[in-house]
Amino acid sequence: MEADHVGNAVVYMAGLPLDTNVLFMTVMANTMPFVGRG
Amino acid sequence: MATSAKIALVTGAGTGVGRAVAIALAKAGYSLVLAGRRKEMLDKVAAEINAVGSQALAVPTDVSKRESILALFATVKSSFGRLDLLFNNAGIGAPPVPLEELPFETWQNVVATNFTGMFLCTQEAIKIMKDQKPRGGRIVNNGSISAHAPRPFSVAYTSTKHAITGLTKSTSLDCRKYDICCGQIDIGNAITPLTERMATGDGVLQPDGSKKIEPRMEADHVGNAVVYMAGLPLDTNVLFMTVMANTMPFVGRG
């Protein structure tokens, strides 16, 4: 996936007021091997 | 309804997080299908969406009933011919009672609404998304902090929210071959009618038996999060995002 999407994710996280937090976000290539098992 | 805009379906759209996400998507240029039990609430949200220049179709729906879900998706198909985004949001809680005293009917109702309804909406969305041109779409499931940790006396709600994590992963795995992305947003203490009890009176029950007022955050931040997730191309997915009131009790123990 394009790294720009990560940039936009961080911009979203950074833009939140300090009473609100993104504790975790997983952003990934949709078809990369991660979800699932053999 | 002819439109060149992307089509988003939001369940539980009449209030709270669903309403906030629907309005945020409308501001981002989506045409909306608004599903929920109370038509008068959906009509109010539709009017707000029309006011920002986007289309909205209110479809009264009870996601605990399969026939109601089938009718909803038939309306989506006949009205717009495609579906780009499903925000699987509809859900209910249950009164806090000791686990062993939870009425069976309450358990069944929470599971039917929060989990089976979400599964059935997912099935119907996939059927549209995998056959449409351009192919694919995105499904965002509303999990919860309760998908990670339970509140006291919340077995039905917590069980369904944990189950949604499995639904998210399986949908992501099984449907990526159709250019369908599935992700989950786990929300902590957004300001909605459902969380009003957290900010009033003695607050809400804590694991140590005390009651506390808990901090909340604006629901608009959830709307903006879903707009970000929805705006990604279909080769990129936010599998999980946790957005929460920064000082709410969740991180930490004891």
Side-chain angles (χ1 to χ4, degrees):
Chain A
M1 65 169 190
E2 295 293 333
D4 289 355
H5 304 314
V6 181
N8 293 334
V10 174
V11 167
Y12 164 73
M13 295 165 79
L16 293 167
L18 295 178
D19 66 358
T20 303
N21 186 37
V22 173
L23 185 66
F24 297 108
M25 185 191 302
T26 307
V27 56
M28 52 184 271
N30 190 39
T31 56
M32 65 175 279
F34 171 57
V35 182
R37 60 175 181 167
Chain B
M1 299 176 82
T3 178
S4 58
K6 288 192 171 183
I7 311 303
L9 165 60
V10 176
T11 65
T15 185
V17 165
R19 173 186 168 276
V21 168
I23 291 171
L25 288 166
K27 288 177 178 172
Y30 283 77
S31 292
L32 270 298
V33 180
L34 308 171
R37 282 177 295 180
R38 292 172 288 178
K39 185 173 187 307
E40 66 278 12
M41 304 294 279
L42 299 177
D43 287 342
K44 281 184 187 172
V45 178
E48 290 183 83
I49 287 172
N50 294 154
V52 300
S54 290
Q55 289 187 0
L57 177 64
V59 185
T61 303
D62 180 350
V63 298
S64 73
K65 306 277 191 299
R66 182 166 185 259
E67 59 273 21
S68 186
I69 291 172
L70 296 178
L72 167 65
F73 280 85
T75 301
V76 170
K77 200 162 185 182
S78 64
S79 300
F80 293 104
R82 66 177 291 111
L83 180 63
D84 297 289
L85 174 71
L86 166 63
F87 183 47
N88 252 332
N89 169 69
I92 58 172
V97 297
L99 188 152
E100 67 275 18
E101 295 174 15
L102 184 74
F104 178 60
E105 295 73 20
T106 304
W107 168 268
Q108 284 189 308
N109 194 30
V110 174
V111 171
T113 302
N114 294 8
F115 188 52
T116 306
M118 189 176 286
F119 164 70
L120 293 170
C121 286
T122 297
Q123 274 195 321
E124 296 309 308
I126 291 165
K127 290 173 188 171
I128 294 175
M129 289 173 175
K130 74 180 210 182
D131 289 335
Q132 64 191 4
K133 291 185 177 54
R135 189 175 77 157
R138 190 175 303 273
I139 299 169
V140 177
N141 294 332
N142 185 351
S144 171
I145 296 298
S146 290
H148 301 269
R151 288 187 181 278
F153 302 139
S154 68
V155 63
Y157 186 80
T158 297
S159 297
T160 58
K161 293 300 182 178
H162 275 65
I164 286 167
T165 301
L167 177 63
T168 299
K169 290 179 178 177
S170 283
T171 305
S172 175
L173 176 63
D174 291 352
C175 299
R176 61 193 189 185
K177 62 180 176 285
Y178 305 130
D179 299 318
I180 294 171
C181 295
C182 182
Q184 180 169 323
I185 186 163
D186 293 323
I187 302 160
N189 290 14
I191 296 174
T192 68
L194 195 69
T195 64
E196 192 64 36
R197 65 197 169 84
M198 297 175 185
T200 53
D202 295 333
V204 288
L205 190 61
Q206 304 295 308
D208 65 0
S210 67
K211 281 192 158 188
K212 282 183 184 157
I213 296 282
E214 292 192 8
R216 298 188 295 164
M217 62 165 187
E218 295 293 335
D220 289 353
H221 303 313
V222 181
N224 294 335
V226 175
V227 167
Y228 165 73
M229 295 166 80
L232 293 166
L234 295 177
D235 66 358
T236 304
N237 188 33
V238 172
L239 186 65
F240 292 105
M241 183 191 302
T242 305
V243 57
M244 52 184 271
N246 190 40
T247 56
M248 67 174 281
F250 171 53
V251 181
R253 62 174 183 169

